Amino acid sequence: QVQLVESGGGFVQAGGSLRVSCAASGSIFSINAMGWYRQAPGKQRELVATVTSGGRTNYADSVKGRFTISRDNAKNTVNLQMNSLKPEDTAVYYCNADTTNYYGTVANYWGQGTQVTVSS
């Protein structure tokens, strides 16, 4: 009932910047939190950054100071501004959301992912 659509991935040189966005749609009463995770080939999916509806943020140590997560609760969107990109940031980036529907049911959803490739 909820769809997450990512956009903004691409190819960038080390030191460059990229902004990925995620829009949530469907049966949503509220979103408790949205975030970004990433998965590189041969590695586990890992948390990149999350933000709650109240504005609390959490970042992986590897991206802290370089990435900034932001949200627009009214539009059910979340963005990830990625600066000073490194080759090790190369991964498929997935949007994630914890949502509450109009019946009070909480569920977690994933987007399809967007590829971010950083060359050295």
Side-chain angles (χ1 to χ4, degrees):
Q1 296 86 11
V2 175
Q3 298 81 43
L4 304 177
V5 180
E6 301 102 333
S7 62
F11 183 87
V12 66
Q13 295 183 34
S17 297
L18 208 60
R19 184 181 179 94
V20 291
S21 300
C22 175
S25 62
S27 182
I28 300 171
F29 175 73
S30 64
I31 299 179
N32 289 335
M34 296 186 75
W36 289 94
Y37 294 71
R38 67 187 182 187
Q39 188 167 19
K43 304 200 74 175
Q44 300 270 13
R45 188 172 298 186
E46 64 177 357
L47 181 147
V48 178
T50 59
V51 59
T52 69
S53 60
R56 290 183 295 178
T57 59
N58 183 45
Y59 295 92
D61 289 341
S62 60
V63 308
K64 198 168 187 177
R66 300 187 297 120
F67 292 9
T68 302
I69 190 168
S70 61
R71 82 294 177 193
D72 187 331
N73 292 334
K75 297 181 179 180
N76 291 335
T77 60
V78 63
N79 302 305
L80 185 69
Q81 179 67 45
M82 301 179 287
N83 298 325
S84 302
L85 283 161
K86 304 174 181 179
E88 51 262 44
D89 294 319
T90 296
V92 177
Y93 283 69
Y94 295 92
C95 181
N96 179 267
D98 285 327
T99 70
T100 303
N101 67 15
Y102 291 96
Y103 300 99
T105 300
V106 178
N108 184 264
Y109 296 90
W110 291 96
Q112 290 296 303
T114 185
Q115 178 70 47
V116 172
T117 302
V118 184
S119 64
S120 59

